[in-house]
């Protein structure tokens, strides 16, 4: 069973009981508000769109029911995690994060940067995706490889993952690897004894990842849905999102 199937099973009961309140697809982040047992809950996800301009030309819409998503059931919204449309998948993962019952008794308020720097000192570190702490990692690691689908200066192309991940001692996977459905392939490339983290705002705070070789899960819990929705709808970057709490689960 894939990790996504496991996550969907975890939230299936909450999805059936929930009512959709709001779907916001912001420039950088997407947010979904749902109501469960009279309480408002929110989840976020990176907004990915694939970088095409097909929306100008009347081709298939990246969001099939744009303007009517809250008329769908929450079960239908969370099922969008499996969509080939990155925008629909963004909505799906924001919904999943809203539905997930986070095990707060197992969470720590630890910065992912601190952990990856601590674990990566003097070792070979591979990072999937861009994170602001990468320069700090380069200072302490013996080697640092940053793999990206759209490489910038100093990055390596994502296609080299199968070559480099087996050689890495510490691996940081972006939560957007779930969104673009590359997580399962990437995790199979990681050496069994490597210390592996999955991190970023899209990452569901679920212990299920431990069954798939992940040692630490760094994600975001929305504690003030109204503040988060307001900031995301106004183009907030991750740092600007209000009403969030950064948490980590460690095996």
């Amino acid at each position: 069973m894939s990790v996504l199937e496991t996550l969907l099973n975890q939230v299936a009961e909450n999805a059936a009981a929930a009512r959709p309140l709001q779907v916001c697809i912001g420039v950088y982040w997407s947010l979904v508000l749902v109501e469960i047992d009279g309480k408002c809950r929110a989840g976020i996800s990176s907004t990915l769109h694939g970088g095409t301009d097909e929306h100008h030309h009347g081709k298939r819409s990246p969001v099939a029911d744009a303007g009517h998503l809250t008329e769908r059931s929450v079960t239908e919204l969370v099922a969008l995690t499996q969509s080939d449309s990155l925008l629909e998948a963004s909505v799906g993962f924001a919904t999943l994060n809203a539905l997930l019952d986070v095990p707060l008794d197992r969470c720590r308020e630890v910065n992912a940067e601190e952990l990856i720097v601590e674990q990566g000192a003097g070792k070979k570190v591979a990072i999937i995706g861009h994170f602001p702490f990468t320069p700090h990692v380069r200072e302490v690691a013996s080697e640092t490889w940053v793999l990206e689908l759209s490489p910038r200066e100093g990055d390596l192309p994502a296609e080299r993952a199968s070559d480099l991940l087996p050689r890495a001692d510490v691996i940081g996977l972006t939560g957007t690897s779930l969104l673009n459905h590359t997580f399962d392939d990437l995790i199979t490339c990681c050496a069994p004894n490597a210390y592996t983290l999955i991190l970023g705002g899209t990452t569901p705070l679920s212990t299920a990842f431990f069954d798939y070789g992940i040692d630490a899960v760094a994600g975001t819990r929305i504690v003030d849905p109204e503040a988060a929705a307001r900031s995301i709808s106004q183009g907030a970057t991750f740092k600007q999102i209000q009403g969030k709490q950064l948490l980590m689960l460690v095996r």
Side-chain angles (χ1 to χ4, degrees):
M1 184 181 294
S2 71
V3 68
L4 178 53
E5 289 172 320
T6 300
L7 292 168
L8 288 173
N9 285 339
Q10 282 191 328
V11 302
E13 186 175 341
N14 280 350
R19 180 172 69 91
L21 297 178
Q22 182 180 353
V23 175
C24 173
I25 302 176
V27 177
Y28 305 110
W29 294 91
S30 294
L31 175 142
V32 172
L33 292 174
V34 300
E35 181 185 316
I36 304 176
D37 296 329
K39 296 182 179 180
C40 179
R41 292 167 59 161
I44 63 170
S45 168
S46 290
T47 298
L48 296 187
H49 54 77
T52 68
D53 63 352
E54 291 186 357
H55 60 92
H56 289 299
H57 308 299
K59 297 183 180 180
R60 180 188 181 276
S61 170
V63 181
D65 285 345
H68 301 279
L69 289 176
T70 53
E71 297 168 23
R72 288 190 175 193
S73 70
V74 175
T75 297
E76 290 174 309
L77 290 180
V78 76
L80 292 175
T81 51
Q82 302 170 92
S83 175
D84 291 332
S85 162
L86 290 174
L87 269 178
E88 288 186 341
S90 298
V91 171
F93 272 96
T95 307
L96 191 153
N97 284 326
L99 296 170
L100 192 64
D101 292 323
V102 177
L104 295 176
D105 58 326
R106 294 192 58 179
C107 289
R108 308 178 190 174
E109 289 195 65
V110 179
N111 191 305
E113 176 181 354
E114 296 175 23
L115 185 59
I116 200 167
V117 166
E118 174 189 323
Q119 292 291 331
K123 299 177 182 177
K124 296 177 182 178
V125 179
I127 303 173
I128 308 293
H130 280 288
F131 292 97
F133 56 73
T134 300
H136 192 183
V137 176
R138 291 190 189 279
E139 292 174 0
V140 302
S142 62
E143 289 189 68
T144 303
W145 304 309
V146 177
L147 299 160
E148 256 292 344
L149 288 171
S150 301
R152 307 176 192 176
E153 184 178 356
D155 293 350
L156 297 168
E159 302 84 65
R160 293 201 59 191
S162 60
D163 169 41
L164 295 174
L165 291 185
R167 298 159 52 191
D169 303 304
V170 178
I171 300 166
L173 300 177
T174 174
T176 55
S177 65
L178 298 164
L179 239 172
N180 61 24
H181 307 138
T182 59
F183 173 87
D184 292 306
D185 289 335
L186 291 170
I187 198 66
T188 60
C189 294
C190 300
N193 60 344
Y195 192 92
T196 307
L197 307 84
I198 183 166
L199 62 157
T202 304
T203 305
L205 284 161
S206 170
T207 57
F209 287 106
F210 299 152
D211 294 330
Y212 294 83
I214 295 293
D215 295 289
V217 181
T220 301
R221 176 173 175 253
I222 298 301
V223 295
D224 187 337
E226 184 178 341
R230 181 173 59 251
S231 52
I232 286 175
S233 68
Q234 294 178 24
T237 61
F238 184 73
K239 188 176 181 179
Q240 293 174 310
I241 298 173
Q242 299 174 20
K244 68 181 184 295
Q245 180 183 31
L246 306 185
L247 296 175
M248 183 178 293
L249 288 163
V250 179
R251 187 197 294 271

